[in-house]
């Protein structure tokens, strides 16, 4: 055992993904694999509590564009195009499977996008790094760097004015900050079981949110699986962004890698933990409310199968 070459956790992760995702994605896996191993591309979430006009002008000068507004424009264009032949569309919907008919009743994409959220990215194929955020005269940082895909669960929450919102697994805080950027929450509860990760969330709020706004956020460090015992059926919207294999991190970083041999049991138990957190999120939601479940993994075992 002492002389056996140590296999890096990143290599173990990639072996696992090659074995499982090649079956899941078929011919598309080599392309997905290249993307997974490519350098991470960041988005700059504009902080609405800073000087928004100045920040957006600065970002546009370096050829970055707001992908949220671009998505809204595309959604509106698609809606206008689909309205041309409503009779044909109605006929096609009536022939769909029940799950597809239910999907057809979902609100249009444009209804899920709040103009208050702005996130800038560089053009496709351009992995230029944004420079570090700078504080304004009040000491508030002007934008937050994150994987732009992290915004999608927040947009999917479809937060409406006055909604009571729970971020059940909130740390390290990027999605919590994005929720605050909507300016629509009547109340926001941010929870995470990890005290060390909650310190990171506190740092994010201290750096990006004025004190009077931060004081309106209820920050707790409960085991999310037991949330219903604390406050069941109380929220309009609940985000359940669960711990997962964080696929890009797993193939790129040795530090805190869940594919380390010491964490094998923890990794195997992830789907059960995810299921328990999702059930807790559902129980925390009032009748008629909405729950968004999200991961940073491509695994069906951690996504579709948990939902099923």
């Amino acid at each position: 055992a002492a002389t056996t070459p140590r296999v890096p956790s990143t290599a173990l992760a990639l072996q696992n993904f090659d074995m499982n995702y090649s079956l899941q994605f078929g011919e598309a896996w080599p392309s997905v694999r290249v993307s997974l191993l490519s350098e991470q591309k960041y988005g700059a979430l504009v902080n609405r509590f800073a000087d928004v006009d100045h920040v957006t002008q600065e970002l546009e000068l370096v050829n970055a564009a707001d992908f949220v507004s671009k998505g809204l424009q595309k959604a509106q264009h698609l809606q206008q195009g689909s309205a041309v032949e409503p009779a044909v569309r109605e006929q096609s919907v009536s022939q769909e499977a029940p799950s597809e008919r239910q999907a057809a009743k979902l609100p249009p994409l444009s209804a899920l996008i709040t103009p208050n959220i702005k996130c800038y990215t560089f053009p496709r194929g351009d992995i230029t790094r944004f420079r570090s955020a700078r504080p304004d005269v009040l000491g508030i940082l002007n934008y937050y760097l994150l994987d732009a895909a992290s915004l999608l669960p927040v947009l999917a929450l479809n937060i409406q004015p006055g909604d009571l919102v729970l971020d059940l697994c909130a740390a390290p805080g990027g999605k919590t900050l994005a929720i605050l950027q909507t300016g629509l929450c009547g109340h926001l509860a941010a929870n995470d079981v990890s005290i060390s990760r909650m310190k990171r969330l506190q740092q994010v709020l201290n750096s990006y949110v004025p004190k009077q706004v931060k004081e309106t956020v209820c920050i707790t460090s409960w085991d999310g699986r037991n949330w219903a015992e604390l406050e069941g059926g109380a929220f309009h919207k609940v985000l359940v962004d669960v711990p997962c294999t964080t696929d890009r991190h797993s193939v790129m970083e040795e530090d805190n890698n869940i594919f380390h041999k010491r964490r094998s049991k923890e990794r195997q138990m992830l789907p059960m933990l995810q299921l328990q957190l999702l059930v807790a999120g559902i129980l925390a939601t009032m009748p008629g409310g909405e729950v968004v479940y999200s991961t940073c993994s491509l695994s069906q075992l951690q996504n579709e199968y948990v939902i099923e």
Side-chain angles (χ1 to χ4, degrees):
T3 57
T4 302
R6 178 176 173 269
V7 180
S9 301
T10 51
L12 290 175
L14 192 57
Q15 290 172 15
N16 180 285
F17 296 160
D18 280 335
M19 180 173 62
N20 292 291
Y21 291 162
S22 60
L23 297 175
Q24 181 176 327
F25 292 102
E27 294 180 355
W29 169 236
S31 175
V32 176
R33 188 182 195 270
V34 168
S35 178
L36 196 64
L37 291 169
S38 297
E39 186 173 352
Q40 185 171 5
K41 182 174 180 176
Y42 287 93
L45 173 65
V46 175
N47 186 6
R48 66 185 294 267
F49 302 112
D51 186 344
V52 175
D53 291 338
H54 178 75
V55 178
T56 54
Q57 289 174 10
E58 190 178 84
L59 292 171
E60 287 167 4
L61 282 174
V62 295
N63 199 33
D66 178 19
F67 92 90
V68 179
S69 63
K70 287 173 66 176
L72 177 57
Q73 292 169 3
K74 185 174 182 180
Q76 290 172 334
H77 177 73
L78 291 173
Q79 279 181 254
Q80 291 168 356
S82 64
V84 175
E85 298 178 350
V88 174
R89 188 158 47 87
E90 183 65 33
Q91 182 180 5
S92 66
V93 169
S94 67
Q95 295 170 350
E96 290 170 351
S99 60
E100 294 173 315
R101 287 201 299 273
Q102 291 168 2
K105 296 176 183 177
L106 292 174
L109 179 60
S110 58
L112 304 181
I113 298 179
T114 167
N116 293 341
I117 291 185
K118 297 180 182 295
C119 185
Y120 281 74
T121 58
F122 288 104
R124 185 173 185 176
D126 184 346
I127 56 172
T128 302
R129 292 292 181 119
F130 290 99
R131 65 182 180 186
S132 299
R134 294 177 298 175
D136 62 11
V137 292
L138 298 177
I140 300 295
L141 296 179
N142 52 10
Y143 55 72
Y144 180 85
L145 297 180
L146 78 172
D147 187 324
S150 296
L151 279 187
L152 300 180
V154 176
L155 295 175
L157 271 178
N158 188 24
I159 299 171
Q160 300 298 308
D163 274 353
L164 309 180
V165 182
L166 168 63
D167 189 353
L168 191 62
C169 308
K175 295 181 180 68
T176 305
L177 180 62
I179 290 171
L180 286 173
Q181 297 302 310
T182 67
L184 299 174
C185 296
H187 172 71
L188 173 60
N191 177 77
D192 200 283
V193 69
S194 170
I195 295 176
S196 61
R197 282 167 57 88
M198 286 301 287
K199 289 180 181 177
R200 170 61 181 149
L201 184 142
Q202 289 274 17
Q203 291 172 354
V204 168
L205 295 181
N206 290 337
S207 300
Y208 289 88
V209 181
K211 183 178 179 181
Q212 62 270 27
V213 177
K214 186 183 68 174
E215 289 175 350
T216 67
V217 181
C218 177
I219 299 175
T220 56
S221 191
W222 286 74
D223 185 335
R225 293 173 291 184
N226 302 324
W227 187 272
E229 300 173 11
L230 178 68
E231 207 170 6
F235 296 91
H236 296 98
K237 305 290 167 62
V238 176
L239 175 59
V240 186
D241 184 54
V242 294
C244 65
T245 49
T246 52
D247 292 356
R248 182 188 291 277
H249 180 275
S250 293
V251 296
M252 300 290 276
E253 302 286 344
E254 281 296 311
D255 183 45
N256 199 33
N257 195 309
I258 198 165
F259 281 85
H260 193 285
K261 291 183 178 180
R262 289 197 303 265
R263 301 184 70 184
S264 295
K265 185 68 174 179
E266 178 186 353
R267 188 176 72 251
Q268 292 165 3
M269 293 301 293
L270 273 176
M272 178 58 69
L273 171 63
Q274 292 160 345
L275 177 60
Q276 292 170 331
L277 287 167
L278 176 55
V279 170
I282 293 170
L283 293 174
T285 310
M286 63 178 62
E290 297 175 67
V291 179
V292 171
Y293 172 86
S294 61
T295 77
C296 299
S297 171
L298 299 170
S299 168
Q300 288 179 319
L301 189 63
Q302 300 175 63
N303 288 293
E304 290 88 341
Y305 293 167
V306 170
I307 299 296
E308 290 176 9

